[in-house]
Amino acid sequence: MQRTAPDPRPDPPVGLPVLPDLAAHLSAAADRTEPEPPGGAAPLRSAACGYWARRGLATDPGQVLAAPGLAALLLALYAAADGGVVLPRPCSEAYAPPARLLGRQVHLAPVPAESGGVPDPFALLETVRRARMHGDAPRVLVLSIADDPTGTCPAPEQLHEVCEAAAGEGMWVLSDESRRDLLHDPHDTVLLSPAEILPDEVVVLTDLGATLAPASWPAALARFPATDRGAVLRAAALDALTALRTPLPGPVGCVVTHALGEPDAVRARTAAAARVYCVLAAALHHIVTEAGAVCRPPRSGSHLYADLEPLRRPLAARGIVESTALERKLAPWAALGGHRFGDDPGALRVRLGAEALLGAERELRQRALDAPDPLDLPHITEALTALSRALAALTASAAG
C-alpha cells in the first residue's frame, strides 16, 4: 500500500532577536557539562515558584516540573494521565502529536464563536459522551487561555463553564498559559487561569520559548495542584520524563532560572514584544477582514486565525478549495492552513502571524522592536501591502 507523503511544514519565521542579557548568561554557563536532573533542579523550580507567585498562583517547588520543551512535557503528562485527550478545535500544533505517539485517542471539540482556546462546554460534554460510547475514556482536557492559533482569550465565564464540565467528567485540565504575558491591552482583557477556578483539578503549563526565552532554547514548566492526587500525577509525569532520557541541557537550565526571575531586561523585552505584536496583529486583522474574511480580533500573542469561507467562490475559481492550497498561496507571510490545527482540511481557514512581518535579518527585527511605531518601517509596510494585494488578486482576478 502506497503511503501519502506528509505535508511538509513551512519553515517558521526566525522570531525576535536573542536578548543580549540571556545570551550573556548562556555564554557564562556554556562550560556546564551536567544536564538538569529530570524535572529540573531546585533553583530552577524555586524560580518558577516566584514566576507563578507574581501571577497570583502560590506554588511550592514540589509542585513544579521542568522539561526540554512543551512536547516532552505533554508527552509525560499524557502518559501519566493514562487516557484519551480532548482538545479544542482549532488548537496549537503541539497538543495532538504527543498523544498520538502514545497511542492515545485524540478527540476534538469545536470552540465557540466568541473565542478560541476552549471548547464550547456543551460540545465538550457531547464529545466525551461519544468517546465513551466508542470505548475510550477521556482523561485530559487541554485549554489555552491566550490562544494559539486564534490569538484570543476566553472570557472568565467561558472558562468557568468549561472547567466545571471537565471536572464533572473526572478529567484533568491542562491549562496552557504560555502567552499570557503577551496581552495586547492588559487593561481591557481579563485573563483568568483555570487554576484560580478549580485549583485541585488544573495543571498549569508554560512554554518558556513563547515569551521568556528564544524558541530555539526549548524549556517548559508544569505546575501541579497541591493535593495528594496532584502529587500522584506529578510523580507519574516525572517517571515518564526520566524514562525519556532527554534532560534539559545544563546551560539552558541556568538561563531559564535567570529569566524566571524576570530582571528588568527580560521584563522590558516581554513588554516590547507584546507592543509590537499588538500593532502588527491589528494590521493583519484589518487587511484580512477588509478582503472579506471573518476573523476574531486578536487579543494576545502574535497570531490570528482568518476564515476565508465567505470568499470560497472566487477562491475556488483559482483552484483553492482547501486549507493546504490556501497555505501555499499565502506562504510568503508564513501562513499555516487550518488542517495543521485540527480543523477541517476542506475549510478555507489559515493562521497568519506577526513574526512573518519582522524581516529575516536581525537588524530589521531589532528595528521593529525599537521603533515607536513598527508600521512606519518600510519593510513592514511593504509586507503588509503585498499581502493586501495578494488577497485582492486571489479574489478579483478569479472573479473576472
Side-chain angles (χ1 to χ4, degrees), residues 174-196:
L174 307 187
S175 175
D176 182 1
E177 303 183 8
S178 302
R179 292 166 179 81
R180 64 170 298 156
D181 296 330
L182 295 176
L183 290 181
H184 296 170
D185 187 352
H187 302 292
D188 189 50
T189 303
V190 178
L191 195 69
L192 184 67
S193 171
E196 299 176 68

Side-chain angles (χ1 to χ4, degrees), residues 11-39:
D11 291 334
V14 291
L16 297 172
V18 175
L19 185 64
D21 178 62
L22 297 186
H25 274 79
L26 185 67
S27 178
D31 61 352
R32 176 180 168 181
T33 57
E34 73 278 10
E36 288 282 313

Side-chain angles (χ1 to χ4, degrees), residues 300-370:
S300 179
S302 57
H303 297 128
L304 51 77
Y305 198 62
D307 185 351
L308 277 71
E309 282 296 322
L311 302 169
R312 175 169 288 277
R313 180 174 294 180
L315 289 172
R318 296 290 300 262
I320 303 171
V321 295
E322 74 289 309
S323 62
T324 53
L326 189 60
E327 176 182 285
R328 287 192 296 270
K329 289 294 185 181
L330 300 178
W333 299 274
L336 290 179
H339 60 287
R340 300 190 184 277
F341 308 105
D343 219 337
D344 178 3
L348 293 172
R349 291 190 275 270
V350 66
R351 189 191 77 174
L352 295 169
E355 297 101 328
L357 306 174
L358 297 175
E361 298 176 8
R362 185 189 183 283
E363 179 184 356
L364 292 177
R365 290 178 279 134
Q366 188 62 51
R367 286 175 62 193
L369 276 174
D370 296 338

Side-chain angles (χ1 to χ4, degrees), residues 16-208:
L16 297 172
V18 175
L19 185 64
D21 178 62
L22 297 186
H25 274 79
L26 185 67
S27 178
D31 61 352
R32 176 180 168 181
T33 57
E34 73 278 10
E36 288 282 313
L44 193 161
R45 289 183 287 113
S46 294
C49 292
Y51 170 86
W52 273 309
R54 291 188 293 275
R55 288 153 181 82
L57 296 176
T59 307
D60 182 87
Q63 295 173 247
V64 179
L65 284 183
L70 188 62
L73 194 55
L74 285 172
L75 189 72
L77 283 163
Y78 293 162
D82 192 24
V85 177
V86 179
L87 305 176
R89 181 177 189 171
C91 67
S92 167
E93 291 179 281
Y95 296 164
R100 294 189 172 118
L101 281 172
L102 291 167
R104 304 286 193 265
Q105 290 292 316
V106 174
H107 309 278
L108 300 171
V111 303
E114 295 80 9
S115 73
V118 301
D120 177 89
F122 297 104
L124 168 63
L125 293 173
E126 179 64 13
T127 299
V128 171
R129 185 188 70 81
R130 292 191 178 195
R132 289 175 177 159
M133 284 179 56
H134 290 88
D136 192 31
R139 303 289 188 195
V140 173
L141 169 65
V142 184
L143 307 179
S144 177
I145 65 168
D147 185 43
D148 170 24
T150 66
T152 60
C153 301
E157 54 270 22
Q158 287 181 273
L159 280 177
H160 272 281
E161 292 175 0
V162 171
C163 290
E164 292 286 355
E169 297 297 328
M171 302 172 70
W172 282 108
V173 174
L174 307 187
S175 175
D176 182 1
E177 303 183 8
S178 302
R179 292 166 179 81
R180 64 170 298 156
D181 296 330
L182 295 176
L183 290 181
H184 296 170
D185 187 352
H187 302 292
D188 189 50
T189 303
V190 178
L191 195 69
L192 184 67
S193 171
E196 299 176 68
I197 301 170
L198 293 175
D200 295 346
E201 315 293 338
V202 176
V203 178
V204 178
L205 307 180
T206 300
D207 181 356
L208 299 177

